[in-house]
């Protein structure tokens, strides 16, 4: 039985741990500290926590001002507000001068659930990925979230870390490390490669088992670091497997699927099928029902693999 | 300083003379008299911070920095040119002495709030000065920042508003009036003063009062857009237009002929 933990819960843990080691670390939130779990840090280090209220634009630029004064700000709110409401603040005042602001946003994707479309960020990876100097990370589980935070705290520029609301199975091994720009191959295979992030990594591993029963060997890559992308790992998958399926809890436009497609078309063109939300808004519903409804499921991945394999057959 | 502004904008062939000239006396006082900064140690931790929220007045900021020896005045002629350290709007990564990248209106006061919070955390002796445009006050984010500054009792933060009354599309009171301005700031919990933004004595006294206030302080500085050049004064057209070489010559003569001109 695997351990389950939401990535936001792991974030709350990691903040407290890092707060002890880094005295210049500060945490900012916009009236969602209970949900984003920054409240844990606020409780332990009240002098280094700032609640800026429901005012995300000011939140981002206040973080910029703190960073310009030698602090390492972690900024949290829901992903829709961090990347949508305050996009231009992030672009012009954080990313342009490459300030070391860590934007760690929770409640990304469909698994927000019942709150519905207004609160389900499905475009945030794309919005952050197109900004120069910005790194984008989507951890797959709690332990990886902690590793990501340990790794990025000393990154000189801005980083966007995407977290979820729902509990997810912990797939990471105790010795796992995270490095920006490095993906990890979780399972070998050479007929097709799944390149996934976040909660879709676990589903890709499940889909691999289904394909295995049909005699198809699928590689599974966890690509937590979407920007910088591990291009070597992607190109090797293209070369050795000849077909790729990307999987993300995000629109199929401009996110992980976009990043992988851009890399593959430039360096080693092979069929790429993108699994994600197909240019639609979300809606209210249970997290698992929504994932099924929008095709972010093991079945959806197996079908996409079939399409990619067909195309690969036509290509050879 | 006004001459540098006019010359560099004319050489660039584009830029914002009107709002640079209206703020010139404020910035001259800050860089000449108020700010404790070290041109040879730009990141000195106890320096005062100045944020040009109205980033389109960049030529003015560059003139001030050049006159304070952050770089050679000869560099001012590279304004807005490809590869220049003097970008059209301030870029703190490229220009020595520029504290924050600005230009997108409404964001500078929030940056100042962050700096002032850091100063408060570190018991810093230094102050944070933010120069805002009046049209900029139409951005809602300014009021988010105003609320935060009062909430966190940022007595080390001074905002100065260049109230020249004109924005690109016309008089600010016709486009979208910010009035009653003093009452708004007071209601947001700030210490409010109004001065003539071209009177050094009034400005200096207001800054002293602001420094000793126990609240964040705002100085509403009444100014004239294009101040110092008769054909630019009070004209919206000169918000974002470069003078021709002939106009530049005329403007420089006018400025040089003024008593105590900057």
């Amino acid at each position: 039985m695997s351990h389950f933990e939401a990535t936001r819960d792991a974030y709350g843990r990691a903040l407290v741990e890092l707060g002890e080691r880094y005295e210049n670390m500060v945490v900012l939130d916009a009236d969602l500290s209970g949900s984003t779990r920054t409240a844990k840090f606020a409780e332990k280090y009240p002098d280094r926590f700032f609640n800026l209220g429901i005012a995300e634009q000011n939140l981002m630029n206040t973080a910029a001002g703190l960073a310009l004064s030698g602090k390492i700000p972690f900024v949290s709110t829901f992903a829709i507000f961090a990347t949508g409401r305050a996009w231009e603040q992030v672009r012009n005042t954080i990313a342009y001068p490459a300030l070391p602001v860590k934007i760690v946003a929770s409640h990304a994707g469909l698994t927000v659930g019942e709150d519905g479309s207004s609160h389900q960020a499905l475009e945030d990876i794309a919005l952050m990925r197109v900004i120069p100097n910005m790194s984008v990370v989507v951890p797959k589980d709690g332990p990886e979230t902690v590793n990501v935070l340990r790794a990025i705290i000393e990154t000189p520029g801005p980083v966007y870390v995407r977290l979820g609301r729902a509990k997810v199975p912990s797939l990471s091994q105790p010795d796992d490390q995270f490095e920006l720009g490095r993906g990890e191959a979780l399972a070998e295979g050479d007929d097709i490669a799944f390149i996934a992030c976040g909660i879709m990594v676990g589903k890709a591993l499940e889909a691999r088992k289904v394909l295995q029963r049909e005699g198809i060997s699928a590689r599974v890559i966890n690509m937590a670091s979407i920007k910088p992308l591990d291009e070597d790992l992607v190109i090797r998958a293209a070369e050795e497997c000849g077909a790729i399926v990307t999987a993300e809890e995000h629109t199929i436009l401009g996110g992980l699927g976009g990043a992988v497609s851009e890399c593959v078309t430039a360096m080693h063109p092979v069929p790429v099928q993108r699994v994600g939300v197909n240019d639609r808004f979300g809606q209210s519903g249970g997290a698992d029902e929504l994932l099924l409804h929008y095709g972010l499921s093991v079945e959806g991945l197996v079908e996409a693999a079939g399409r990619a394999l067909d195309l690969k057959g036509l290509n050879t | 300083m006004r001459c540098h502004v006019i010359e560099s904008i004319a050489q660039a062939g584009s830029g914002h003379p009107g709002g640079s000239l209206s703020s010139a006396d404020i910035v001259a006082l800050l860089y000449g008299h108020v700010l404790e900064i070290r041109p040879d140690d730009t990141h000195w931790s106890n320096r005062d911070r100045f944020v040009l929220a109205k980033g389109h007045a960049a030529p003015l900021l560059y003139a001030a920095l050049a006159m304070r020896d952050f770089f050679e005045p000869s560099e001012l002629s590279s304004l807005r040119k490809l590869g220049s350290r003097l970008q059209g709007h301030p870029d703190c990564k490229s220009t020595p002495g520029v504290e924050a990248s600005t230009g997108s209106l409404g964001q500078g006061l929030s940056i100042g709030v962050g700096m002032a919070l850091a100063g408060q955390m570190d018991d810093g002796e230094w102050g944070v000065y933010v120069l805002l445009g009046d049209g900029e006050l139409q951005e809602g984010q300014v009021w988010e920042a105003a609320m935060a500054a009062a909430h966190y009792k940022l007595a080390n933060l001074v905002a100065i508003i260049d109230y020249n009354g004109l924005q690109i599309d016309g008089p600010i009171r016709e486009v979208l009036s910010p009035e009653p301005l003093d009452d708004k700031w007071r209601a947001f919990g700030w210490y409010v003063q109004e001065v003539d933004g071209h009177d050094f004595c009034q400005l200096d006294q207001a800054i002293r009062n602001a420094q000793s206030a126990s609240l964040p302080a705002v100085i509403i500085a009444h100014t004239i857009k294009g101040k110092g050049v008769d054909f630019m004064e009070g004209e919206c057209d000169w918000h974002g237009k470069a003078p021709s070489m002939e106009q530049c010559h005329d403007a420089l003569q006018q400025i040089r002929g003024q008593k105590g001109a900057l």
Side-chain angles (χ1 to χ4, degrees):
Chain A
M1 185 69 190
S2 359
H3 174 67
F4 281 75
E5 183 184 30
T7 50
R8 59 174 170 150
D9 288 320
Y11 174 51
R13 265 194 303 130
L15 280 182
V16 172
E17 173 201 307
L18 293 170
E20 195 168 338
R21 274 198 286 152
Y22 293 87
E23 284 182 6
N24 59 341
M25 172 182 163
V26 293
V27 177
L28 292 78
D29 206 302
D31 194 41
L32 289 167
S33 61
S35 300
T36 62
R37 307 300 195 232
T38 60
K40 307 247 179 225
F41 182 91
E43 201 177 303
K44 184 126 191 235
Y45 306 104
D47 296 342
R48 290 193 274 150
F49 174 79
F50 303 104
N51 199 329
L52 275 304
I54 310 167
E56 294 79 10
Q57 302 172 77
N58 184 51
L59 171 81
M60 288 300 171
N61 286 5
T62 298
L66 283 157
L68 285 163
S69 311
K71 307 297 177 192
I72 305 176
F74 282 72
V75 187
S76 293
T77 177
F78 287 179
I80 189 82
F81 309 128
T83 67
R85 185 63 157 263
W87 185 85
E88 200 252 29
Q89 280 74 13
V90 172
R91 180 209 185 260
N92 273 328
T93 309
I94 292 175
Y96 176 39
L99 300 181
V101 175
K102 316 308 173 196
I103 302 167
V104 187
S106 75
H107 290 62
L110 290 170
T111 47
V112 168
E114 291 78 359
D115 276 350
S117 178
S118 63
H119 284 56
Q120 293 163 346
L122 298 175
E123 310 85 358
D124 55 313
I125 298 174
L127 286 168
M128 290 294 106
R129 194 171 75 83
V130 294
I131 303 176
N133 292 337
M134 181 65 75
S135 299
V136 178
V137 184
V138 184
K140 66 181 180 299
D141 61 15
E144 188 172 47
T145 303
V146 176
N147 287 338
V148 165
L149 289 159
R150 286 177 187 151
I152 64 162
I153 189 163
E154 295 196 46
T155 301
V159 183
Y160 174 63
V161 182
R162 180 191 217 231
L163 305 179
R165 171 177 182 258
K167 285 193 174 4
V168 291
S170 297
L171 305 168
S172 297
Q173 303 299 314
D175 299 338
D176 285 354
Q177 297 287 322
F178 172 81
E179 194 183 324
L180 261 183
R182 295 292 296 274
E184 51 172 356
L186 296 179
E188 287 308 321
D190 51 19
D191 291 327
I192 191 161
F194 287 111
I195 302 180
C197 65
I199 59 162
M200 295 308 288
V201 174
K203 296 194 190 298
L205 288 168
E206 292 296 313
R208 179 178 186 271
K209 288 184 199 159
V210 175
L211 292 173
Q212 206 164 25
R213 290 199 284 273
E214 296 171 19
I216 297 162
S217 111
R219 182 175 302 186
V220 176
I221 291 169
N222 168 35
M223 193 61 80
S225 178
I226 294 178
K227 185 182 177 187
L229 187 72
D230 190 341
E231 293 191 343
D232 291 344
L233 198 59
V234 171
I235 294 162
R236 214 180 315 136
E239 286 169 350
E240 293 171 5
C241 304
I244 291 172
V245 172
T246 62
E248 63 201 302
E249 189 193 357
H250 182 268
T251 171
I252 58 168
L253 306 177
L256 174 64
V260 168
S261 299
E262 288 158 19
C263 173
V264 167
T265 49
M267 307 298 289
H268 191 95
V270 297
V272 177
Q273 291 290 311
R274 291 164 295 147
V275 172
V277 177
N278 193 5
D279 196 19
R280 293 157 71 191
F281 286 108
Q283 60 178 302
S284 291
D288 290 337
E289 314 181 271
L290 284 166
L291 292 174
L292 267 178
H293 180 81
Y294 286 90
L296 278 71
S297 57
V298 175
E299 297 74 27
L301 287 170
V302 171
E303 280 170 28
R307 292 196 298 275
L309 286 166
D310 285 347
L311 286 164
K312 176 182 168 184
L314 289 175
N315 283 348
T316 51
Chain B
M1 209 155 98
R2 285 191 162 92
C3 288
H4 281 315
V5 167
I6 293 293
E7 271 179 320
S8 61
I9 293 175
Q11 281 164 341
S14 68
H16 298 82
S20 295
L21 296 178
S22 64
S23 302
D25 298 313
I26 298 163
V27 170
L29 183 74
L30 286 170
Y31 276 88
H33 185 60
V34 176
L35 299 176
E36 286 203 38
I37 46 180
R38 292 180 177 171
D40 54 352
D41 183 10
T42 53
H43 289 92
W44 173 46
S45 58
N46 285 324
R47 71 194 185 279
D48 289 319
R49 270 74 165 176
F50 173 71
V51 177
L52 183 67
K54 48 173 291 183
H56 53 283
L60 177 68
L61 175 58
Y62 300 152
L65 291 170
M67 291 172 84
R68 283 296 308 265
D69 300 324
F70 281 85
F71 47 84
E72 291 294 320
S74 59
E75 195 172 338
L76 293 172
S77 63
S78 73
L79 174 69
R80 289 178 168 245
K81 305 248 167 73
L82 183 65
S84 170
R85 296 200 294 179
L86 308 184
Q87 290 292 296
H89 292 83
D91 170 15
C92 64
K93 282 284 170 187
S94 65
T95 316
V98 170
E99 293 286 353
S101 297
T102 53
S104 175
L105 296 177
Q107 302 191 28
L109 189 59
S110 299
I111 299 170
V113 165
M115 290 173 168
L117 279 173
Q120 203 179 57
M121 281 176 75
D122 297 346
D123 294 323
E125 296 280 304
W126 45 278
V128 182
Y129 300 83
V130 182
L131 179 61
L132 297 100
D134 49 4
E136 180 173 14
L137 304 178
Q138 292 160 349
E139 291 280 5
Q141 184 182 348
V142 171
W143 303 100
E144 296 181 0
M147 218 185 308
H151 178 84
Y152 284 103
K153 302 182 175 63
L154 300 177
N156 52 352
L157 178 63
V158 180
I160 304 171
I161 296 166
D162 176 9
Y163 200 175
N164 61 39
L166 297 176
Q167 58 189 122
I168 300 179
D169 274 356
I172 182 169
R173 287 173 195 234
E174 287 176 23
V175 175
L176 191 77
S177 175
E179 290 294 337
L181 199 48
D182 52 342
D183 286 346
K184 276 198 180 73
W185 286 97
R186 217 167 275 126
F188 273 79
W190 285 58
Y191 169 57
V192 184
Q193 301 174 86
E194 287 201 61
V195 299
D196 175 345
H198 301 302
D199 181 324
F200 287 119
C201 294
Q202 284 190 33
L203 277 169
D204 185 48
Q205 186 58 50
I207 288 171
R208 284 169 199 275
N209 295 343
Q211 287 168 337
S212 53
S214 56
L215 303 172
V218 61
I219 299 168
I220 301 171
H222 293 271
T223 60
I224 296 165
K225 196 145 182 165
K227 171 76 174 173
V229 179
D230 62 5
F231 58 88
M232 290 186 178
E233 285 191 5
E235 294 292 330
C236 288
D237 264 6
W238 286 101
H239 172 87
K241 187 172 78 172
S244 66
M245 278 306 157
E246 200 179 323
Q247 288 167 326
C248 172
H249 186 70
D250 182 9
L252 294 179
Q253 268 195 329
Q254 286 186 36
I255 295 164
R256 286 180 185 134
Q258 286 154 16
K259 194 182 162 206
L262 291 164

